[in-house]
Amino acid sequence: MASEKKRAPKPLVRAKKVSRQVRGRALARAVFPVAPPKVELPKSYGRVLAQLKARVERARLSTVMAANSALILLYWDVGHVILDRQRAAGWGAGVIDRLASDLSDAYPDMRGFSPRNLLFMRALADAYPDAPKVKQLVSQLPWGHVIRLIPRVKEPGVRE
């Protein structure tokens, strides 16, 4: 053991950071697939592509509508809480401003918690006191339409 020479550790060699595209293209044996020309595809390809695109569009629309519905119901719930607190505890504009600030701080990636929007949420809860009606009718509309509809159409039957 004493006769063995101690070897100096090999210096660490850091490889250059190279993007994924460059790495693949730098290798001569790398093969990148290319879509065949449309003339080489089966005759049914166009019909299948159109069907798939229609499915994607329906799924995208369904997703947007579901998200809108959930958001409207959330806004109604927030407005309902504000309305209840204003009636029971006398919440005023200062509390609404503080609530808007705290919600915005808690959810910085979300928009819609401005004091003005919280007042719109309160107006929604006041105009539609029943959650099932909100779910059935109002949640089918975009929020921008809802906030324009409530102050302009005062009569509940006409609004519905």
Side-chain angles (χ1 to χ4, degrees), residues 132-153:
K133 203 169 267 193
V134 173
K135 185 173 181 138
Q136 181 185 5
L137 299 174
V138 183
S139 68
Q140 306 305 312
L141 298 172
W143 179 241
H145 292 188
V146 172
I147 62 176
R148 284 176 185 80
L149 178 71
I150 292 171
R152 288 191 174 112
V153 183

Side-chain angles (χ1 to χ4, degrees), residues 11-136:
L12 294 176
V13 178
R14 292 194 175 188
K16 287 183 181 177
K17 277 194 169 183
V18 181
S19 73
R20 201 170 121 211
Q21 288 180 328
V22 172
R23 268 188 269 139
R25 286 184 175 33
L27 299 174
R29 63 184 183 276
V31 178
F32 294 94
V34 176
K38 290 184 179 183
V39 293
E40 295 178 13
L41 297 172
K43 291 182 181 180
S44 63
Y45 176 79
R47 187 179 69 251
V48 171
L49 176 62
Q51 290 171 348
L52 291 174
K53 287 167 65 175
R55 285 181 186 172
V56 168
E57 289 302 316
R58 280 194 307 270
R60 288 177 66 176
L61 180 61
S62 174
T63 301
V64 167
M65 293 298 292
N68 179 70
S69 180
L71 192 63
I72 298 291
L73 288 172
L74 170 67
Y75 285 176
W76 178 86
D77 194 37
V78 169
H80 189 71
V81 168
I82 292 170
L83 191 60
D84 283 350
R85 294 286 84 213
Q86 283 184 328
R87 289 178 179 160
W91 278 17
V95 177
I96 301 296
D97 291 343
R98 179 78 259 162
L99 184 61
S101 178
D102 289 341
L103 286 171
S104 294
D105 289 346
Y107 302 100
D109 57 325
M110 238 179 122
R111 293 177 39 198
F113 291 126
S114 67
R116 182 176 181 206
N117 215 32
L118 290 179
L119 291 174
F120 284 135
M121 292 176 205
R122 182 203 175 281
L124 172 65
D126 194 28
Y128 295 95
D130 300 322
K133 203 169 267 193
V134 173
K135 185 173 181 138
Q136 181 185 5

